[in-house]
Each structure stands twice: as C-alpha cells, then as structure tokens.
Amino acid sequence: MSKTIRPAVVLFAALTILTGLLYPLLMTGAAQLLFPSQANGSLVQKDGKLIGSSLIGQNFSDNRYFWSRPSATSPQPNNAANSGASNLGPTNSALTDAIKARIDALKAAGPVPAGAVPVDLVTASASGLDPDISPAAAFYQVLRVAAVRKLPAEKVQALVERHITPPQWGFLGEARVNVLQLNLDLDRL
Amino acid sequence: MTSDALILLGTFLVALLLLSYPLGGYMARVIKGDAPGPVRFFVPVERFIYRLCGVDPEQETGWKGYTFGLILFSLIGTLFVYLLQRVQGFLPLNPQGMGAVSPDSAFNTAVSFVTNTNWQGYGGESTMSYLVQMAALTVQNFLSAASGIAVVVALIRGFARHSAAAIGNLWADLTRITLYILLPLSVVFGLLFVGQGVIQNLSPYKDATTVQATQYQVPRLDKAGNPVKDAAGKPVIDTLTSKTQSLAMGPVASQEAIKLLGTNGGGFFNANSAHPYENPTPLANFLQMLAIFLIPAGLCFTFGAMVGDKRQGWAVIAAMAVLFVALASVGLWAEQKGVPALSHLNVDQQASALQAGGNMEGKETRFGINSTMLFVAVTTSASCGAVNAMHDSLTPIGGLVPTFLMQLGEVVFGGVGSGLYGMLIFAILAVFIAGLMVGRTPEYLGKKIEIFEMKMTALTILVTPTLVLVLTALAVLTDGGRAGIANPGAHGFSELLYTFTSAANNNGSAFAGVSANTPWFNIMTGIAMWFGRFFMIVPILAIGGSLAGKKRLQVTSGTLPTHGPLFVVLLIGVVLLVGALNYVPALALGPVAEHLQMILAH
C-alpha cells in the first residue's frame, strides 16, 4: 500500500511541475522568440492603436462595410471573450426564422444581385468569431457597398478579388476573404 | 462527396501512415526504456524521477498492483484538478481575476479531464485562470493520455509474455510515455501551431477599438439577477453600444498540442478548435487531425512490434481504416447536401470555386464542409472530442455519423491507448465467435481465450452501452434531464443521446446546445465518464494479467490466422454488429426520425 502511495503522489507532483509549469512556460518563451506576432494574437494596429486581430472576426453591420458572418456570441456579436455558436438544429424553426430575417436585412440594406444568397453569409459561424466570408458572400455585397460609397462597382469588385485567399497549399480548406482586412482597404479606396 | 473531399481524405490517410508507422516502432522502443539519440536529453530526468519516487523501473507488478496504482494516481489527479479550480481566485497567473468554479462544475471538469474525456460544461475563456489551464488541465491532458497508453501496453505485454506473473511497472511506463512520446511531440506540434497563428502568451485580454461600433440588446437585470419587467409585464430591453472587442489571450498552443495528441479534446476556449486562436488555418486544421490519429494509429504498429508479428498490427489498423473511411464519407456527403429548408428560402448551398456551400450553420468559412467533416469523423472515431464545428447544427445524418462512431466503443483508432485496448477486446470477441462457429477453443496470438477472459470481455463491451442507454433514458424521464434540451423534436432526443454517448465513451464532444452546466448534468455525466473509463480499464488489465500467466500455444493448421483479410472482415463485422445491436433503436428515435422529418417536410 505505502509502496504505491509514495510513487503515486511524487510522480504526480513531478509531472505536474514538468508538464504544467515548465512545458507551457518554455513553450511561451520559444513562441515569443520564434513567432512573436502570431503568439500574441496576430494583432492589427492602425495609427498606433490596436483595432483588432486579423484572425478574429469583428461585427460589421454598417451598410458602408462588407458584413461579417452572423455571430451567435453573447451578449454582443463577435464577443472575443466568450466564443460560441447558435447550436440550432437543422429542423428547428428558430434557425429558418433567423436565416429569413438575415436575408431580408441584406435585401433591405441595398442593391443585391439576382439569384440565391450564399449560405455562409446568412448562417452563424461555429466560433462566433469567423474572420472570413466566402468569395461568393463578398461578391454578393459589392453592389451595396459600391452604391453606399458612390464608388464604381468594378473598383469594389476588383478590391474583393485582390483579397481572396485561395485554399492553403492548393487543396486545404476553402477560398476565403478576410473581412477586417477587406474593410480596412475599402476605407483607403 | 466532391473530388476535393476525396483528395483531402486520401492525403490525410497517406500522411497518417507515413508518420504513424515509424512512430509505432519508436514507441515500442522507448517503452522498454531504450531512448534513442534525440531524446536522450530526458534520460537524466527519468532517472531523477525514479529516485524521487523511490522506484526501481525494473521491478514490475502483477495486474492488481498495476490497476491499484493507476486508480490511485487518477484519484490524486481528480482531487488536485478539483481543488485548483476552487481556489484559483487566490492564485497567480489569473489576469482576468476568475473566481472559484462552482463545486458541481469543478467536480465534473476534474473527472472529465482525468478520464481523458474532456467534456466541457464551462467556457474556458470566461471561467478558467491561466494557472488552472496549465497546471490542472494541461497536466491531465498528459497524464490521462499516458494512463491510456500504459493500460494498452500492459495488455499487449499480456499477449507477448508467457507464464509470467507481472505486466509492467506502472510508474516507469507513465514516466517514459510522458517524457519520450508525449512531451517531444507536443513541443513540435505546439510550435507548428504557433507558426500558423495559435497564440501562446500570458497577457491579460486585450481591448481593441473596433472599426465599427456594435449595438446590441440585453435584457435589464435587477440586483438579484432577475429580469426587470415593465408595467405590461414585458421584459425591459436595453440597447447598448460597444466600441471595443476584448480579445481573450492565454497559453493556448502548449495546451492545444497535447489536447489533440492525447486525444483529450478539451479546448482552451469555449468554441474549441473552431476558435481562430486555437485553429487558425486549414493547414493547422490538417495538422490537428493528424495529431489526433497519430498515436492511436502508431500504437497499432507498436502492438505488432511488441507481439513479434507486424502483420497483427496491420490487421487491426486495416479494420479501423475501413470503418473510418466508410463513416467519414457518409458525413461528408450529408453535410455537402445541405438543409432542404434553406434551399426553399433561396439560399445557395451548392459547392463552387467561390464557396463551400452545404450546411454552414455552426461551421467556419476557412474549413468549409470538407475540412470540417473530416475533422468531425476524426475527433469522434478517436475519442478526442475537440470540435472545429458545432455538432448540434449538423444535418441529422451528419450528426448520426459522429454519434455512431462513438457508439462503436471508440475503437476506430479511438483514444490513445483506449482505442487499441478496446479494439483488442473486440478481436478477442471475434476469435471467440469464430471458435464457436467451428467448435474449437478460441485463441488469439497464441493465448487460449477461456471463461475468465470472456467474462471480462463481456463486461467491458456491455458497460458503456448500459451507461449510455440507462442515463439517456433517465434524462428523458426527469425534469433535470429534459431541462437541458435546446432544440425541439427528435433533435432534442439526439442531444441527450449524444451527451451520454460522448461522456460514457470518454469522447467529450457535445451537441453543445444542451445546457450541461447544471448540477444534474454535471453529476450524471461525471458518473458516466468515471465508470465509462475505469469499468473498462480494470477488466482489461485483468485480462492482461491472466493472459501473461498462460503458456503460448504453437500455431497449427487448426489455428485461425488473425492477420489476414478474413480476420479483418470478421473484426469489422463484430464491431458493427455489437454497435448496431446496442444502439439502432435509440438512433431511430433521434437522428433517423429527424432525417425523415427533414426530407418529408419538403
């Protein structure tokens, strides 16, 4: 019995110090040395002020901007201190009602192309912090943004095209557009 | 399934094989205490730990001593994780000033991380201090993984040895697995993750001034936290404006690496691997999937090496791979098809070069359908439970796939160690059934399978389905259980079934709409997790001990070969049969009913 208690307690303590303190602290040091920008959150500054992270989606609902995907975080959307999703099931009428309201809001906000709405633009993301929209979702908003800003649609369209990130290594993930970067460049047009 | 999905699946399996095969040989070597060049750095650490513990690594014990040690070690871990959460408010590395976690939630989380389940009733970034994340949760990610690997190693020794009384030295096994397998891999994967954008710091949360102010509405609360109502009895809603975004920080990458490598799955953040700071890019996502399967696949080759017949390991991994590809394909297909109700709202769910299409509710744009659904299949066939999408919002068939993968007993690759020991139990059942068919005493790897082994096998195979079905029934029948349901109809039943399937099989993923952070759920899932883990481990170590003591039989013309395609098919058949017999009625009430409801509505 006591031959088991001592190794159990001591090994637990030793491995706690090793894997729970030394390992994360040394990893923090190594990460700060090798990849300081990534390790600190891929932060975006503007005029010396922190305005967000290129990895974390922000809420854009102003008609002047490309909208982000819907976010189900609480209390406010895109709350990066409380990530989360809607968790609505596919047969739940609350889901279809929410999507219908989002489609109406898009159509009320300004001119939209004929045809169906890209699915990612009207469905809530998993993290509530999705930084991206699909290229289809960005193109869907070009007419509105161009009209509100009184810019030629071709110019806005070209800006979106420049912001498309293709699938990584050609086959991993999806083509996407980072909404924060797109909107920052939009303000510079 | 699209051609992109096939390319992704194929690349994933090839990469997995290329990495897990050499890892399997390496693991067989270091478990014996034979550390090769690059990790010799840890040898003095290993010796120092033995000296502190007062153990001789050469001195082995029988299965009872091994089991007793493991349970004691786990109880110490549970107590420590519980206490640290309760007193985190008084301890350092808590820049956000997180207060004590409630007793029932702390109990649940402690059991959850010690049993390698990593079910999460809490939201990480709003509950846990950095110290708890590191010194309690990260530690258990290592130790519960090391425990699982130790158990399967002890079982394999039972097959490999003959006329032996001992199955290993638990303390040496745990130390070696942690030092030579889990730590080095975690460092490598952790740094790869940081390179992709996973954060690793100890800063307080950062307030960013957003480009656009956000208006949002919240119900007004009085001092007691109850909603304030106006004269007409309607709740008063306040409209607030926020100009900042608080970015949660923390030592994420170090925890992320072992969360996946140890098939733990407990996220640093509430959104787990869907959170861009946990899983920022499609490449990171690919590496995460590899990390989940790496050790479970490698252990199949370790098994082949330790029993001295590599073909035995190939047979086991072949059975796992067939089941995995079949079920993953169904999930990919179902989610790409999307939700009929949305097509009726004129929502475009077609895959094209400009969008992933499919059912995107609860999914991330960068992963689309393919990288999401492969991850879903990986995380539930391994008992990982990390999620890069919200399973509650999957289509009925898309949600049936992860549910059924768990219900197969987490043996399709499965958890580190636990997947292989579960599959070896099914192998024993397969040779037993084959033996009954031809009227011979069954044997596996030269060991006669007799009454004691079959009793223990029956116990391990029945314990999780019993926990899942009884507790799901209880949840449906009680107010405490029904209060957790988030979605109406058949989907609500699927949520409860998924909850207990995940807990008892030590997966840890969730249909996360369930309000699981209540005393009822914290206690019930705590029970499911604890017994789902240790009611497996004890009989399995008993089998290991019993087998170690037996003589080895010579292979004769009457021996059923357990390395060929015939045995692989038999093994797959037994796994599917047991899974289907246990769960088809429950699945019919949940996902199957919902699927019919969904397609018949239009």
Side-chain angles (χ1 to χ4, degrees):
Chain A
M1 183 82 180
S2 66
K3 267 180 70 183
T4 312
I5 291 175
R6 175 176 166 196
V9 173
V10 176
L11 184 62
F12 178 75
L15 292 181
T16 297
I17 292 167
L18 186 65
T19 62
L21 293 174
L22 292 177
Y23 159 72
L25 294 178
L26 288 174
M27 287 289 282
T28 306
Q32 293 292 336
L33 206 65
L34 294 171
F35 307 105
S37 161
Q38 290 95 320
N40 291 315
S42 307
L43 301 175
V44 180
Q45 317 262 350
K46 191 180 168 191
D47 310 326
K49 205 170 61 175
L50 178 63
I51 57 159
S53 159
S54 62
L55 290 178
I56 302 292
Q58 290 189 6
N59 175 51
F60 285 103
S61 51
D62 197 315
N63 295 348
R64 298 165 40 80
Y65 288 115
F66 285 90
W67 293 0
S68 304
R69 292 188 64 191
S71 164
T73 61
S74 72
Q76 74 269 38
N78 297 82
N79 181 357
N82 190 16
S83 56
S86 76
N87 285 306
L88 294 176
T91 54
N92 191 338
S93 59
L95 176 68
T96 31
D97 290 349
I99 289 173
K100 203 163 175 306
R102 289 167 192 153
I103 296 172
D104 293 343
L106 272 167
K107 291 190 172 158
V112 291
V117 188
V119 62
D120 63 300
L121 193 55
V122 291
T123 47
S125 65
S127 60
L129 303 171
D130 195 335
D132 305 312
I133 53 178
S134 69
F139 288 136
Y140 191 81
Q141 303 184 66
V142 163
L143 290 179
R144 181 194 76 230
V145 171
V148 176
R149 292 190 177 241
K150 303 196 168 53
L151 288 166
E154 300 74 42
K155 207 172 167 187
V156 180
Q157 175 92 5
L159 181 75
V160 170
E161 278 164 12
R162 280 204 301 280
H163 274 86
I164 295 177
T165 308
Q168 211 169 359
W169 292 4
F171 74 102
L172 291 173
E174 305 294 329
R176 58 199 201 273
V177 175
N178 185 298
V179 183
L180 177 61
Q181 307 281 15
L182 176 66
N183 282 331
L184 287 175
D185 277 356
L186 186 64
D187 277 342
R188 291 192 196 105
L189 268 188
Chain B
M1 258 172 95
T2 60
S3 59
D4 287 350
L6 285 174
I7 293 170
L8 181 67
L9 182 59
T11 317
F12 174 69
L13 291 175
V14 170
L16 177 67
L17 191 62
L18 290 178
L19 292 173
S20 62
Y21 184 76
L23 179 68
Y26 169 82
M27 289 194 287
R29 192 173 157 186
V30 295
I31 284 164
K32 285 187 292 187
D34 173 14
V39 293
R40 289 207 68 78
F41 164 74
F42 280 120
V43 173
V45 182
E46 185 192 349
R47 293 210 185 105
F48 179 64
I49 288 177
Y50 295 151
R51 208 169 329 128
L52 283 179
C53 298
V55 298
D56 171 5
E58 303 300 322
Q59 201 181 12
E60 300 194 338
T61 56
W63 77 268
K64 285 180 187 155
Y66 203 93
T67 310
F68 176 65
L70 192 67
I71 290 178
L72 184 65
F73 190 70
S74 303
L75 284 172
I76 295 170
T78 311
L79 193 65
F80 183 77
V81 176
Y82 177 82
L83 289 177
L84 210 60
Q85 292 175 80
R86 299 284 296 142
V87 299
Q88 66 172 359
F90 306 105
L91 297 174
L93 286 171
N94 186 6
Q96 299 310 117
M98 303 291 184
V101 181
S102 73
D104 56 295
S105 175
F107 156 78
N108 183 277
T109 304
V111 170
S112 169
F113 276 72
V114 169
T115 56
N116 200 254
T117 313
N118 305 57
W119 169 268
Q120 294 175 286
Y122 61 93
E125 67 268 47
S126 55
T127 315
M128 301 296 182
S129 74
Y130 294 165
L131 185 72
V132 170
Q133 297 269 20
M134 288 162 48
L137 305 185
T138 303
V139 169
Q140 282 310 321
N141 283 352
F142 277 97
L143 301 187
S144 65
S147 302
I149 300 175
V151 171
V152 81
V153 165
L155 175 66
I156 296 171
R157 288 194 189 112
F159 286 112
R161 292 175 177 178
H162 56 92
S163 316
I167 56 168
N169 180 318
L170 173 69
W171 316 116
D173 287 344
L174 291 174
T175 307
R176 286 170 185 161
I177 291 162
T178 307
L179 290 182
Y180 299 124
I181 300 172
L182 299 176
L183 260 180
L185 283 173
S186 296
V187 170
V188 172
F189 273 90
L191 291 177
L192 286 172
F193 289 154
V194 180
Q196 287 298 303
V198 178
I199 57 173
Q200 179 72 24
N201 61 57
L202 299 169
S203 317
Y205 295 1
K206 291 186 173 137
D207 281 329
T209 311
T210 50
V211 177
Q212 182 212 305
T214 299
Q215 286 204 334
Y216 61 101
Q217 298 186 315
V218 287
R220 188 182 297 169
L221 301 178
D222 62 17
K223 278 189 186 134
N226 298 315
V228 177
K229 292 188 177 161
D230 63 14
K234 284 190 179 161
V236 181
I237 306 285
D238 291 326
T239 300
L240 304 177
T241 305
S242 160
K243 289 179 182 154
T244 57
Q245 187 181 37
S246 174
L247 299 167
M249 292 282 129
V252 178
S254 54
Q255 183 163 330
E256 194 66 15
I258 187 63
K259 153 190 144 183
L260 303 156
L261 286 162
T263 63
N264 296 284
F268 196 96
F269 299 114
N270 188 38
N272 208 299
S273 278
H275 196 296
Y277 277 161
E278 282 202 41
N279 192 1
T281 65
L283 177 60
N285 189 65
F286 190 78
L287 291 169
Q288 298 210 343
M289 294 189 291
L290 275 180
I292 295 171
F293 267 5
L294 190 56
I295 294 176
L299 281 171
C300 295
F301 300 116
T302 308
F303 164 65
M306 284 178 73
V307 297
D309 183 357
K310 288 190 176 174
R311 297 171 306 177
Q312 304 291 344
W314 280 105
V316 171
I317 200 171
M320 291 177 172
V322 168
L323 286 166
F324 172 72
V325 170
L327 281 155
S329 303
V330 174
L332 281 157
W333 165 83
E335 289 302 298
Q336 191 67 67
K337 267 183 76 92
V339 179
L342 300 197
S343 303
H344 287 263
L345 292 175
N346 203 18
V347 172
D348 183 6
Q349 300 182 85
Q350 275 297 320
S352 73
L354 296 180
Q355 67 159 9
N359 171 23
M360 285 299 288
E361 180 71 25
K363 296 192 182 63
E364 297 281 295
T365 308
R366 60 194 180 282
F367 305 139
I369 299 297
N370 296 337
S371 292
T372 298
M373 289 314 290
L374 189 57
F375 194 106
V376 167
V378 167
T379 194
T380 49
S381 64
S383 76
C384 182
V387 293
N388 77 345
M390 291 305 132
H391 293 190
D392 215 346
S393 296
L394 295 173
T395 61
I397 300 298
L400 184 145
V401 166
T403 313
F404 192 57
L405 274 167
M406 293 188 287
Q407 289 171 340
L408 292 180
E410 295 294 21
V411 295
V412 181
F413 295 96
V416 288
S418 58
L420 182 59
Y421 64 62
M423 195 55 138
L424 292 178
I425 292 302
F426 276 108
I428 291 175
L429 184 63
V431 296
F432 175 74
I433 289 172
L436 286 182
M437 288 195 271
V438 296
R440 275 180 60 95
T441 310
E443 54 188 82
Y444 186 48
L445 305 171
K447 292 298 173 76
K448 214 181 253 183
I449 305 298
E450 293 170 295
I451 293 173
F452 179 73
E453 288 79 31
M454 285 321 298
K455 275 187 185 163
M456 293 295 127
T457 298
L459 192 60
T460 56
I461 285 180
L462 290 176
V463 72
T464 39
T466 309
L467 285 168
V468 172
L469 296 173
V470 169
L471 289 172
T472 305
L474 205 61
V476 174
L477 292 171
T478 54
D479 291 336
R482 283 194 303 262
I485 293 175
N487 284 284
H491 194 92
F493 178 77
S494 303
E495 290 181 332
L496 295 175
L497 179 64
Y498 195 102
T499 298
F500 289 103
T501 298
S502 170
N505 284 289
N506 298 138
N507 181 278
S509 67
F511 270 20
V514 174
S515 322
N517 200 359
T518 63
W520 195 92
F521 274 96
N522 280 329
I523 290 164
M524 290 302 175
T525 55
I527 290 170
M529 293 187 283
W530 185 265
F531 291 108
R533 175 82 165 176
F534 290 102
F535 266 1
M536 292 278 286
I537 283 182
V538 176
I540 280 167
L541 287 171
I543 292 175
S546 160
L547 292 174
K550 295 189 183 208
K551 290 202 204 63
R552 189 191 300 275
L553 305 172
Q554 288 306 311
V555 175
T556 68
S557 59
T559 308
L560 171 73
T562 52
H563 53 73
L566 177 68
F567 183 71
V568 172
V569 171
L570 185 65
L571 184 55
I572 292 170
V574 168
V575 171
L576 283 177
L577 193 68
V578 171
L581 284 176
N582 281 322
Y583 292 109
V584 161
L587 290 171
L589 293 175
V592 175
E594 193 192 10
H595 178 71
L596 295 175
Q597 202 182 354
M598 182 177 88
I599 55 171
L600 294 178
H602 296 282

